[in-house]
Amino acid sequence: ASPGDPARIGLAVPLAGRAQPLGAAIMRGGMLALGEVARGGNAFQLQLRNIADPSRGGGAAATELARDEAVIGAVGTPDAV
């Protein structure tokens, strides 16, 4: 991220499989929250990682979000981050 770029928030949620409805709801909630923040003049981007594959895990997703996407924070389902 460069100066002036929007701040990035990471979401590690299941986007497939049995837990997909939960991941979709969390993603929509994040989008709504960032929309409200944007109305106040702040710019944010939502960066997603799919944790539907149990072998991948939330720890790997959080690491990728921090390393590859330069997020300032990451949230997810209780078993994700």
Side-chain angles (χ1 to χ4, degrees):
S2 302
D5 285 351
R8 296 174 179 180
I9 305 292
L11 274 180
V13 295
L15 298 174
R18 194 180 74 194
Q20 183 276 334
L22 174 63
I26 293 169
M27 182 180 65
R28 283 191 306 274
M31 291 169 68
L32 285 170
L34 291 183
E36 289 296 316
V37 170
R39 288 186 193 164
N42 299 305
F44 286 91
Q45 289 180 340
L46 198 58
Q47 301 294 320
L48 297 173
R49 285 297 182 271
N50 183 6
I51 58 158
D53 180 358
S55 67
R56 187 152 185 266
T63 298
E64 286 176 14
L65 285 164
R67 181 190 63 223
D68 300 342
E69 304 296 344
V71 298
I72 60 171
V75 294
T77 54
D79 59 338
V81 178

